[in-house]
Amino acid sequence: MTIPDDKKPSKPAIKTTTAAHRLDEINKHLKAYPPTAQLKHKDWAAAVEELKLRQDLSGTMVTDDRGIIRQKGEGKLWVRERIHQLLNPGSFREYGSLTSSVTYNEDGTIKDFVPSNNVIAVGEIDEGVTKKKVVVLGDDFTVRGGHADGSVHAKSLWAETYAVNQSMPLIRLLDGSSGGGSVKSYSQMGRTYVPPLTGFRTMVEQLGKVPVCCGLLGPVVGLASIKATVSHFSVMIDGNSQLFSAGPPLVKYATFEDVTKNELGGSQVHGQNGSVDHVVATEQDAFAAIRQFLSYLPSSSAQLPPVLSEFTPPSEATTESLLSIIPRKRTVTYAIRDIINAVLDQGTWFETGSHWGKSVVVGLGRIDGKTVGILSQDCRQVGGTLSERASEKGRRFVDMCETFSIPILSLLDQPGISVGLSAEANATVRSATRFLTAMFQATVPIFTVILRRAFGVAGAGFADVHGPSGNVRVGWVSGDWGSLPLQGGVEAAFKAELDATKTPQERKALLVKLNEMMEAIRSPLRTAEAFGIEEMIDPRQTRQMAVEWIRHNYDTVLPERLQKKVMIDAVAGLRGSYRP
């Protein structure tokens, strides 16, 4: 459920001024109330007024500033506008508000002022259903493009650490290098230095403890590109944000490739290769996506996901559609997302990674008001086979569910690992093995519904009832499974008998007879006779079985699992399983 725009409280307006006026205001005060004069006062009113004026130095948008003019000319929001639009109205609490580079005149007035190029905010977010406290670390590209010479490293490191220690989700609003180095740093220091990776250990620790989201809101380069990928969810703006390790000038010097920022690292590149999870049209869409993603997750891995008391189940017509949604002809495809929406609470499906690794479908939703991870395959994308990128997407998603105690509903239609020259050249089998390993290492409950196919190693890996949580497996009557598909296999298995026929007509008749025999054998009901599948169900029963499963797991299994996990972490130290 999302709050309509006309019902949401209005966002506070951002103060604006000119560069000269900004300094005039604070300098008037400093001249009227120098530190020596303030010693004679009975209270701290003058000091508090100076504090507010100093905070206004950073908190007021300077309309004639070169960086602001460029930012607005590119259609981008200023960092403080972004934070105000992301957070609930009135909840923005800033830390490090005075952090800046200041030079003084001899009389104590300010000669020059450069604000820090990152802003720390602690505030609340919600999507109309849940509310949680978050830490926001926003880059200010208007100040030296976010390079290290315009920032104070201690600020960003403090924010990253604070999020972990306070069990708050972290949201990075990236624009520029996010504190990365620049050549100008060398000239200011008069030397070079061995590059440090300050705070990276903390960022890695975060992945196992709190949700981390990144909004890519401009050119995200160098250190910022690493920060973007050290996250559980990332979103970029189509046409107005880019991601790259180094920008076009360095690329041209190193590889002689003359490219634009968008050609090098736009959404058409990183939205389709897995570096970024989500692509949207505007910054406001990015903020909405981050809020929605976080609405499904707990604030830390030491908590269970939020549960909603109000929800709307699928309509009867939607449930009834499951009886005919999978075609009787096995070569005809169907829409997997229609099945997903027929099982989840209405309006709760939130897909991630839809632009890449398309044969695997993953996302978050709710059943009975409870968060669930959805893992499935899209038979309309390379048959639903496991490609290299699809395997990587699936592995990351399973790791995230494992980290934040999100049970997984696996809607299985898996024909196997991708084959062919391209698949072998891309080391697909290695990626698929990592995916299967993540599945077998997972301790969160998994409810597997075999919709259609489960073939080969991949089918076996997803259909196997593994894990310490007593995972559940059922099959639809459309199920079709085995070590390998029958298509083409009959001719190989009965080659001698077919070769022994005397005429083409006799061979064709025998092949028809053999196929009819195998068609009866491949019935999933025969598998159930041997208890090779725990239960066969009417597709229309799927939602009700999923409700029963998720209720029990949220009431009993997940709390017990979480208690054990917290105890292990307390003894052995936090060892997050999430690998970006």
Side-chain angles (χ1 to χ4, degrees), residues 221-254:
V221 59
L223 178 60
S225 69
I226 299 299
K227 289 183 177 182
T229 55
V230 184
S231 62
H232 302 104
F233 178 72
S234 56
V235 55
M236 71 187 304
I237 315 300
D238 186 23
N240 219 15
S241 64
Q242 304 82 30
L243 174 73
F244 31 71
S245 298
L250 185 54
V251 167
K252 186 175 183 179
Y253 175 80

Side-chain angles (χ1 to χ4, degrees), residues 258 329 399 548:
D258 193 0
K329 190 174 182 180
D399 279 353
E548 295 167 4

